[in-house]
Amino acid sequence: MANQLCIVLDFGGQYNQLIARRVRECGVYCEILRYDTPLSEIAARKPAGIIFTGGPNSVYDESSPHIGKEIFSLGVPVLGICYGCQLVAYTLGGAVSACEKSEYGKIEITADAESVLFKDVPQQSTVWMSHTDFVSRLPEGFTVTAHSADCPCAAFENPAQKVYAVQFHPEVTHSVFGRQILHNFLYEVCGFTGDWVMDDFIETTVQRLRAEIGDKKVVLGLSGGVDSSVAAALLSRAVGRQLTCVFVDQGLMRKDEGDFVEQTFTKLFDMNFVRVNCGKQFLEKLRGVTDPEQKRRIIGTEFYNVFWDKIRETGAEGFFAQGTIYPDRIESGRGNEAGQGSTAVIKTHHNMVKMPEDIQFDGVIEPLCDLFKDEVRAVGEKLGIPSELVWRQPFPGPGLGVRILGEITEEKIRILQEADAVFRDEIEKSGIARELKQFFAVLPDVHTVGVMGDHRTYEHLIAIRAVTTDDFMTADWARIPYDVLARVSNRLCNEVAHVNRVVYDITSKPPGTVEWE
Ligand code: XMP
């Protein structure tokens, strides 16, 4: 049975995926659609609630994303957030003006009237605001339900029409009761029952996969990353040995990672597991290459050559499976990326693979294509994948290849693997790992002079990188405590052969990127 659906209409704001994730955390299935999706299409999906997102524009800009007022005649409850709130007012005949004083950051609001949206929310609470326009005149039939010192209309509504609007961002954790407000909209206004539950997802997906695959075979490219690992575990639960996972180890993974992936999938899950060790072959191809883009190209091309050759050898029968997740579809434009006014799409990495023409499967299966990363992790945990894998940090496709600057050699790989393992171990031990989104070592291909005992040394410099971020579009360098940095530095110089100096990368993104190449 299909889940009840909430539609998030994307007007190009930066928190759009966050809104969708928060809705799902409330146990409600939702999808992000472009703001200009035809009304008939929206109606055909039979949503029980619609949320207008924020956006970077002003409703009076001609080029801003707008919407016809017919959407309010569907009889489906609407919640407008930030730009979406102003759009509700503008579309229904109210007025929006520039603020005398813009509001940005944590702001105190006061509830002015009884509202189901503010059920179980104190009369005064902190919310996250970010706006330079405000609703200066309400459409007919609406009343203000909250204000702040500088915004007379922080929330308004027309309960009879089931239209609600908030100037602040309930999806951001700084809005202390934001989750409650979204919950109230979904459950009290829209009447959702909370049928989006990960246990049910596993069961229904397994049933669906069994029905779709029948007695055919499935081949999955396993990278050792979270998404393909969870897809593998789910497919294994559905069809066991009809599944073959092909794992290409290009020799550029972290220390012992290839063996760990093999152990996990051969010992804990029922499937055919094929590991292709081709580190030497990759090193041959990379000999003498120092240009970052050329390295990426070679590693990428070689990876798929090896992968598809293995598929040809094992036989391209049945279905091809991939670990595509929901944000991959949004980012790549295959799904519902906002057009005008959309947030800049910077990330181009995704899980979608172009298949060579001579390889013909019966179809492609993407069992996780509706899930956000947090949901993929929840499914992975329920399926019994070890937490090292489920909570694995993002790791670039070209692996350590983009963390060894200059030419890649066997010795440099070994030094970096050791250094990276020591750094990660120390961060884990210090208990700050969960606060950091990514932390790793880089080998900048720089030698420096040092002293050890009575000897002069001339050895490698190691750089360490640790970032905090919400979405990797921007990132800040992590303020790791000095004593942790001191232990890391000591251990790197003492335990890793050929290292005599350590530096900490204190560059945010932008202007830097997370990776060095
Ligand atoms: P940058 O360096 O672009 O990294 O700031 C942002 C995030 O993306 C990861 N990254 C990659 N992921 N293939 C991937 O799957 C790649 O080629 C790649 N390059 C960077 C990076 O580790 C960070 O998490």
Side-chain angles (χ1 to χ4, degrees):
M1 217 173 66
N3 291 92
Q4 291 179 300
L5 171 71
C6 174
I7 287 179
V8 173
L9 273 189
D10 183 357
F11 289 91
Q14 57 176 324
Y15 299 128
N16 299 349
Q17 288 200 25
L18 193 56
I19 297 175
R21 279 165 49 194
R22 293 280 179 262
V23 171
R24 298 227 190 148
E25 282 166 17
C26 289
V28 171
Y29 181 67
C30 77
E31 285 193 28
I32 302 174
L33 296 185
R34 285 175 60 117
Y35 71 92
D36 57 357
T37 304
L39 194 66
S40 55
E41 218 172 282
I42 294 176
R45 303 289 301 271
K46 298 199 170 48
I50 297 175
I51 297 178
F52 293 179
T53 73
N57 311 58
S58 163
V59 287
Y60 288 111
D61 274 353
E62 269 191 29
S63 60
S64 312
H66 289 114
I67 191 151
K69 61 173 178 297
E70 299 73 24
I71 188 119
F72 298 101
S73 314
L74 290 177
V76 180
V78 172
L79 172 68
I81 294 177
C82 195
Y83 175 84
C85 151
Q86 294 165 11
L87 200 65
V88 167
Y90 173 85
T91 313
L92 292 174
V96 174
S97 314
C99 297
E100 264 177 34
K101 193 168 159 216
S102 318
E103 287 182 305
Y104 183 78
K106 290 183 191 173
I107 304 280
E108 190 89 346
I109 57 161
T110 305
D112 296 310
E114 278 287 307
S115 165
V116 71
L117 207 59
F118 291 101
K119 188 180 158 204
D120 298 330
V121 177
Q123 194 182 11
Q124 291 194 319
S125 69
T126 304
V127 297
W128 185 257
M129 288 275 198
S130 168
H131 65 118
T132 48
D133 285 353
F134 78 113
V135 174
S136 50
R137 194 186 68 238
L138 290 182
E140 225 179 279
F142 281 76
T143 49
V144 171
T145 50
H147 73 277
S148 70
D150 292 304
C151 182
C153 193
F156 60 91
E157 65 186 39
N158 181 336
Q161 266 189 44
K162 297 196 174 178
V163 179
Y164 294 78
V166 291
Q167 180 57 66
F168 54 88
H169 287 277
E171 71 278 17
V172 173
T173 45
H174 300 300
S175 292
V176 181
F177 289 87
R179 199 171 286 232
Q180 181 68 45
I181 291 168
L182 281 176
H183 191 277
N184 288 341
F185 174 70
L186 296 167
Y187 285 77
E188 305 291 329
V189 179
C190 305
F192 280 104
T193 55
D195 63 0
W196 180 245
V197 186
M198 284 304 112
D199 279 325
D200 296 354
F201 171 85
I202 294 176
E203 265 327 296
T204 46
T205 307
V206 162
Q207 297 307 332
R208 191 173 52 73
L209 287 169
R210 282 188 186 141
E212 189 175 350
I213 296 165
D215 57 4
K216 291 187 176 168
K217 293 186 173 166
V218 187
V219 178
L220 172 86
L222 188 67
S223 69
V226 181
D227 306 342
S228 61
S229 296
V230 175
L234 200 51
L235 280 158
S236 154
R237 159 102 42 124
V239 296
R241 297 206 145 247
Q242 286 164 253
L243 170 69
T244 300
C245 285
V246 177
F247 170 53
V248 175
D249 185 347
Q250 33 35 339
L252 295 166
M253 303 194 74
R254 286 173 292 199
K255 189 183 176 190
D256 300 331
E257 203 166 21
D259 295 343
F260 177 66
V261 171
E262 179 172 350
Q263 294 268 326
T264 301
F265 288 98
T266 49
K267 300 248 154 69
L268 297 184
F269 295 96
D270 187 29
M271 64 173 68
N272 298 302
F273 185 90
V274 180
R275 176 172 176 178
V276 193
N277 285 319
C278 47
K280 293 250 180 307
Q281 180 180 335
F282 272 66
L283 277 179
E284 269 310 302
K285 295 271 176 191
L286 288 164
R287 187 178 305 184
V289 180
T290 56
D291 176 67
E293 282 307 302
Q294 205 187 340
K295 279 202 259 178
R296 274 180 178 272
R297 260 196 309 277
I298 292 172
I299 297 170
T301 310
E302 202 51 25
F303 184 90
Y304 286 113
N305 286 343
V306 172
F307 180 71
W308 294 121
D309 279 350
K310 197 72 203 172
I311 300 286
R312 288 185 186 97
E313 199 184 304
T314 43
E317 256 182 80
F319 292 94
F320 183 67
Q322 337 195 65
T324 314
I325 69 171
Y326 191 49
D328 295 328
R329 292 162 56 202
I330 303 175
E331 281 161 10
S332 66
R334 211 178 65 169
N336 315 302
E337 184 183 318
Q340 253 174 353
S342 69
T343 42
V345 176
I346 298 163
K347 251 175 86 176
T348 51
H349 335 293
H350 51 75
N351 296 327
M352 274 170 284
V353 177
K354 199 165 176 295
M355 206 174 297
E357 276 173 9
D358 66 303
I359 294 185
Q360 306 260 326
F361 281 96
D362 293 349
V364 174
I365 290 181
E366 298 174 321
L368 308 175
C369 69
D370 287 331
L371 301 192
F372 283 106
K373 196 77 168 192
D374 337 348
E375 295 172 320
V376 172
R377 291 204 161 103
V379 169
E381 283 189 325
K382 286 191 189 299
L383 289 169
I385 300 178
S387 60
E388 285 115 294
L389 255 178
V390 169
W391 290 100
R392 186 186 193 254
Q393 318 181 20
F395 189 61
L400 299 183
V402 291
R403 295 180 183 168
I404 295 172
L405 280 53
E407 187 184 5
I408 300 169
T409 64
E410 210 163 334
E411 190 193 21
K412 286 186 197 166
I413 296 174
R414 208 169 38 243
I415 294 172
L416 183 57
Q417 279 178 335
E418 290 301 328
D420 184 66
V422 167
F423 178 42
R424 286 189 291 122
D425 179 54
E426 202 49 54
I427 293 289
E428 298 285 353
K429 279 188 181 142
S430 67
I432 57 171
R434 287 272 173 116
E435 289 161 41
L436 310 178
K437 279 293 163 66
Q438 212 174 354
F439 47 99
F440 54 87
V442 176
L443 190 68
D445 204 21
V446 168
H447 284 71
T448 75
V449 173
V451 57
M452 190 163 285
D454 292 335
H455 298 285
R456 172 188 184 277
T457 59
Y458 189 56
E459 298 280 22
H460 274 286
L461 163 80
I462 287 284
I464 51 179
R465 178 82 163 137
V467 295
T468 54
T469 174
D470 277 335
D471 56 8
F472 291 97
M473 304 285 185
T474 61
D476 197 5
W477 59 277
R479 289 359 181 219
I480 297 182
Y482 278 177
D483 56 334
V484 178
L485 287 175
R487 284 199 298 275
V488 169
S489 161
N490 269 339
R491 284 190 59 190
L492 285 174
C493 292
N494 287 325
E495 293 176 27
V496 185
H498 305 297
V499 169
N500 71 352
R501 191 177 295 267
V502 181
V503 292
Y504 186 37
D505 181 351
I506 52 168
T507 323
S508 57
K509 171 185 179 177
T513 48
V514 174
E515 302 291 346
W516 278 35
E517 282 195 339

